[in-house]
Amino acid sequence: MSEAQEHLKCVIIGSGPAGYTAAVYAARANLSPVVYTGKEPGGQLMITTDVENYPGYPEGVMGPQMMDDFRKQAERFGTEVRYELIDKVDLSGPVHKLWTDSGKEVHADTVIISTGASAKWLGLKSEQRLTNKGVSACAVCDGFFFRGMEVAVVGGGDTAAEEATYLAKLCPKVHLLVRRDEMRASKIMQERVMKTENIIVHWNTEAKEVLGEEEVTGVKVINNKNQEETILPVKGFFVAIGHKPNTDIFKDWLEMDDTGYLVTQNGSTKTNIEGVFASGDAQDNVYRQAVTAAGTGCMAALDAERYLVEKGII
Ligand code: NDP
């Protein structure tokens, strides 16, 4: 006899602040949520050190500790956490089908997507080695630790422009490394960069190697026009060349923008498919903070609960 198909009221895909907050709310609403953690349980905060801008932690907290607290809080109310990856979905509904990478199929009345986004990296060995030791992909998260120090930012888009202007308030000198002779950033952001005296823009410049053993001591850059190499004596190296939302498995089903961010209906977490909700960085390319992700996770659980009531499922 074949095993009965598992049917859940609420499946949450992803285990960052959005996913676990959705789980806390969904569990407290008796939706018996199941969280699929994905490949990186805890999400991007697992690769940060001190989190000092999450309200409620006056002394700050380590990223992994915070995510452990989030998970425990979700489990306390009956959330089941599965350390598995969902790698295929069929959202034709009304019951949505999901498959784990080991081929197990689960059915769900509601799906909350909180798969997050991943920062893009240059791919240098030295960059990888010095991540969290001076190399960062988030100025708002880590800039504070470099106040009073010289830093570099890589990128020519709005994120790089924003990170450079943010850091310029904390650091005496910010080197902005732009690989072409122009920036992709919006006019207004470019103007802001040009007007900031302590931002030095290096055109046609690429980072070749981040220097240092236990911490960043500099960066070797190359001018790709004349091949001239220079060492910039920076202590912080910020990579701001874009993020990629982890939404590939939804592309046949859900509306997304050109970069892959899920589109939600104004003021809610509803996607174009009934019973499927999106929260956190997978649908946010503007704020991208743990606290905003948690906020939209809460919204997604409330939206899912309302949907289940409207459909008479609970
Ligand atoms: P973008 O894709 O817009 O820009 C990426 C930048 O990084 C480009 O300048 C690109 O160079 C450069 N780059 C990419 N790969 C490399 C590499 N390997 N080495 C060196 N440089 C590299 O990403 P953003 O994160 O800046 O922005 C994403 C979206 O979010 C955009 O739509 C943006 O407008 C929006 N945004 C809006 C903000 C706001 O309005 N306040 C703030 C932040 C983002 P090249 O140009 O040569 O390809």
Side-chain angles (χ1 to χ4, degrees):
M1 206 168 69
S2 70
E3 213 180 301
Q5 180 60 56
E6 186 179 29
H7 187 120
L8 302 164
K9 284 198 276 279
C10 179
V11 166
I12 298 165
I13 313 176
S15 54
Y20 280 139
T21 305
V24 168
Y25 276 78
R28 287 173 55 80
N30 275 340
L31 305 187
S32 314
V34 169
V35 171
Y36 282 93
T37 62
K39 265 193 296 206
E40 293 162 21
Q44 288 189 77
L45 279 166
M46 299 301 282
I47 54 159
T48 37
T49 49
D50 298 77
V51 180
E52 294 187 333
N53 54 7
Y54 199 92
Y57 290 99
E59 307 303 328
V61 59
M62 300 300 272
Q65 176 63 51
M66 183 163 114
M67 291 325 298
D68 204 39
D69 291 345
F70 267 70
R71 180 185 50 75
K72 283 188 189 137
Q73 191 173 355
E75 284 178 334
R76 185 177 145 215
F77 299 109
T79 300
E80 185 184 339
V81 178
R82 295 182 183 169
Y83 294 86
E84 286 175 273
L85 175 75
I86 296 291
D87 72 351
K88 193 174 129 195
V89 296
D90 174 344
L91 303 179
S92 47
V95 173
H96 304 298
K97 296 178 184 157
L98 315 162
W99 286 268
T100 66
D101 58 346
S102 60
K104 194 178 163 230
E105 181 176 336
V106 286
H107 290 183
D109 296 311
T110 61
V111 178
I112 294 176
I113 299 167
S114 12
T115 45
S118 305
K120 290 190 201 159
W121 296 98
L122 297 171
L124 302 172
K125 272 210 177 94
S126 52
E127 167 194 60
Q128 209 180 3
R129 182 165 48 82
L130 290 160
T131 296
N132 284 336
K133 295 173 181 167
V135 172
S136 164
C138 179
V140 180
C141 323
D142 298 329
F144 188 71
F145 304 113
F146 299 92
R147 62 196 187 283
M149 300 177 197
E150 199 163 326
V151 296
V153 176
V154 186
D158 278 330
T159 303
E162 201 169 66
E163 303 234 318
T165 40
Y166 178 85
L167 289 165
K169 295 190 190 105
L170 304 167
C171 305
K173 214 184 248 186
V174 178
H175 300 274
L176 182 59
L177 313 180
V178 181
R179 68 175 171 183
R180 290 187 291 139
D181 58 2
E182 60 176 349
M183 289 178 75
R184 182 188 291 270
S186 54
K187 275 228 148 48
I188 183 162
M189 296 297 283
Q190 290 196 40
E191 273 169 25
R192 219 169 277 171
V193 166
M194 299 309 165
K195 267 200 237 152
T196 309
E197 275 178 12
N198 56 337
I199 298 179
I200 299 129
V201 182
H202 300 256
W203 302 106
N204 302 305
T205 300
E206 291 174 48
K208 215 174 154 191
E209 192 187 349
V210 193
L211 307 172
E213 284 305 319
E214 287 310 309
E215 56 181 30
V216 172
T217 54
V219 58
K220 190 190 280 180
V221 299
I222 182 164
N223 180 306
N224 57 29
K225 286 270 184 251
N226 59 19
Q227 307 307 314
E228 199 179 295
E229 289 188 357
T230 320
I231 289 177
L232 303 170
V234 297
K235 293 271 193 285
F237 182 75
F238 292 85
V239 180
I241 60 171
H243 283 77
K244 191 184 173 313
N246 303 317
T247 56
D248 286 355
I249 61 166
F250 308 110
K251 68 174 182 287
D252 291 338
W253 305 100
L254 299 179
E255 246 177 71
M256 38 183 90
D257 70 11
D258 294 346
T259 332
Y261 285 96
L262 298 173
V263 174
T264 50
Q265 289 172 25
N266 248 352
S268 84
T269 61
K270 290 179 188 164
T271 66
N272 55 303
I273 292 187
E274 269 201 333
V276 180
F277 306 90
S279 60
D281 287 11
Q283 53 84 57
D284 170 22
N285 72 353
V286 179
Y287 302 104
R288 297 197 291 243
Q289 299 302 300
V291 67
T292 49
T296 56
C298 157
M299 288 165 65
L302 296 176
D303 287 342
E305 185 190 357
R306 277 180 203 142
Y307 169 84
L308 291 166
V309 171
E310 271 166 30
K311 295 289 172 192
I313 297 169
I314 56 168

